[in-house]
Amino acid sequence: MQFTILISRFFAVVLFSLFAIKIHAQGFGGVTLSFSPSTIEQGQSTRLTWSSTTFFAQCNIGGIGIDPISNIQSRGSVTLSPTSNVEAFIICNNDFNTFASASLTVTEPTNSVSVTSSFSPSTVNVGQSSTFRWSSTGATNCSSTGALSISGVSGTRTVTPSSDDNVSVTVTCSGNGNSGTSTSTLTVVPALPTIRFFPLQTGPGVIAVSFIATNATSCTSDGSDVGTSGTLTAFGFAGAVIPFSLTCTGPGGSTTDTIFIFVSGGGTFDTNINSSNQINSATSLQASTEVNVMDIVESSNYQSLLMDINNDGVKDLMGVDSLTQRLYILVNSANGQQALSKVVEGISDINQLNSVSVSIDGDIVVTTTTQH
């Protein structure tokens, strides 16, 4: 009796072991999934095969690195050429809800060639420079097509475009029967505006600077449009430093530049300004009532007075040179322009002014304490 029990237990263990081995090979519930071969190089192919013990089962394959395969028969195969590792699984809908999985390893091709290239910076203005860099692995020689000629498996080149045409370079490297390519493009935009200043008068008195801007469509000074060429003026005493600043904009962007003028001389004002800057027409000034002396500033032999002569909301400038006994009246406009409008002889002190007015015809009328 005991011998019979031992024999029965032995066969039970054997049958259980065989069943476990079958499940391990096929997957849970009698389905198998496998890659053949299970390791490939990039560019090579493998065969994915599946089989279910249930003949009429409907199966679905999915996973990582593989496109889903849906509603397939219980047995079949498909050829794949993945470029990265794959973790696949299969589920078959039958009485047992069978499941299995398989892995595929994808390696770099033996003796492969890789190439990288770039421009730094990747965008420049005409006349600016950019550095082109390339490198490779597994290559014995490299060549290029496009705007630059290269040699060697790595290196750098400097390019300075003279036009706003983009620069494109393709690098091709080869070695051990394999090859690789890389293409890079440098974006080139029009040149930035350039500004040139030309001091005309350095005073004292009216300070004048002419300017020319290239590659520009507009320029502003103190927020006012001044065109792309012209003359900027200001009033300054000897020893002062007068800044003239311009911001010019063009297709390539904006440029800001500033020139500082040291006001030279002493004792007399230089008033030899271009006549086109003077205000003589009746429409240039508005009639105004008398104004009181205010905002007096004294410096050495000079005195200045700030007041709104023509009621345009912008203070105008009157300066007295005590040595030459002259009063200079400069009218400032809302757009930042300044023009010498009147010179009055015989005034040595700003306090001699009694009133300043603008007539209907646009003339500036000055009365002093000595006038009746």
Side-chain angles (χ1 to χ4, degrees):
M1 181 68 178
Q2 292 180 349
F3 177 79
T4 302
I5 294 175
L6 289 176
I7 294 297
S8 299
R9 289 180 177 177
F10 172 79
F11 281 107
V13 170
V14 170
L15 289 173
F16 179 81
S17 299
L18 291 174
F19 179 74
I21 292 172
K22 182 177 181 181
I23 290 179
H24 179 75
Q26 294 183 339
F28 178 74
V31 63
T32 60
L33 183 69
S34 63
F35 286 101
S36 180
S38 60
T39 299
I40 62 172
E41 294 182 356
Q42 289 180 351
Q44 294 180 341
S45 298
T46 184
R47 194 74 178 169
L48 177 63
T49 302
W50 64 92
S51 176
S52 173
T53 56
T54 303
F55 183 75
F56 295 105
Q58 291 292 317
C59 302
N60 296 283
I61 295 177
I64 300 174
I66 184 173
D67 293 330
I69 306 174
S70 303
N71 298 321
I72 55 178
Q73 296 299 319
S74 59
R75 296 178 182 179
S77 64
V78 63
T79 300
L80 303 174
S81 299
T83 58
S84 60
N85 294 344
V86 176
E87 294 291 337
F89 63 84
I90 184 171
I91 297 177
C92 295
N93 298 322
N94 53 30
D95 293 340
F96 301 102
N97 290 322
T98 53
F99 170 86
S101 63
S103 298
L104 173 70
T105 301
V106 181
T107 62
E108 290 284 339
T110 305
N111 299 322
S112 64
V113 173
S114 63
V115 186
T116 60
S117 64
S118 64
F119 280 99
S120 180
S122 59
T123 300
V124 296
N125 293 95
V126 173
Q128 295 180 335
S129 297
S130 178
T131 300
F132 177 73
R133 291 181 172 85
W134 78 96
S135 62
S136 62
T137 58
T140 56
N141 64 82
C142 296
S143 61
S144 65
T145 58
L148 294 176
S149 177
I150 69 164
S151 62
V153 295
S154 64
T156 61
R157 293 288 187 274
T158 299
V159 58
T160 306
S162 58
S163 67
D164 57 1
D165 296 322
N166 291 344
V167 177
S168 183
V169 180
T170 297
V171 177
T172 301
C173 299
S174 59
N176 298 314
N178 296 301
S179 64
T181 62
S182 176
T183 299
S184 296
T185 300
L186 172 65
T187 301
V188 184
V189 297
L192 287 168
T194 57
I195 303 170
R196 290 185 294 167
F197 290 105
F198 305 92
L200 299 178
Q201 294 181 188
T202 58
V206 179
I207 313 303
V209 173
S210 67
F211 68 92
I212 298 176
T214 56
N215 304 317
T217 55
S218 65
C219 296
T220 59
S221 178
D222 295 326
S224 299
D225 187 7
V226 294
T228 57
S229 64
T231 301
L232 305 176
T233 60
F235 186 86
F237 297 114
V241 177
I242 308 297
F244 292 90
S245 183
L246 278 179
T247 297
C248 296
T249 302
S254 296
T255 298
T256 298
D257 201 0
T258 301
I259 185 174
F260 295 89
I261 301 298
F262 177 78
V263 183
S264 60
T268 60
F269 282 129
D270 183 358
T271 60
N272 185 25
I273 193 67
N274 191 308
S275 61
S276 64
N277 292 322
Q278 301 202 14
I279 300 178
N280 297 313
S281 65
T283 57
S284 299
L285 296 174
Q286 302 174 3
S288 69
T289 59
E290 296 180 357
V291 295
N292 295 322
V293 174
M294 55 189 296
D295 294 334
I296 297 177
V297 179
E298 297 186 15
S299 176
S300 184
N301 299 319
Y302 309 102
Q303 295 174 303
S304 66
L305 171 65
L306 297 173
M307 64 177 66
D308 185 4
I309 297 175
N310 55 354
N311 288 338
D312 63 351
V314 180
K315 285 188 176 182
D316 306 301
L317 176 66
M318 294 190 293
V320 172
D321 182 351
S322 62
L323 294 184
T324 61
Q325 298 188 6
R326 289 176 179 170
L327 167 68
Y328 302 95
I329 299 178
L330 295 95
V331 175
N332 296 314
S333 63
N335 64 4
Q337 298 296 307
Q338 187 179 65
L340 179 65
S341 301
K342 193 176 185 68
V343 179
V344 180
E345 302 286 346
I347 297 180
S348 60
D349 193 295
I350 201 80
N351 292 297
Q352 291 179 246
L353 298 178
N354 184 47
S355 66
V356 178
S357 62
V358 182
S359 65
I360 297 298
D361 60 3
D363 291 333
I364 298 176
V365 180
V366 178
T367 63
T368 66
T369 55
T370 60
Q371 294 176 309
H372 301 284

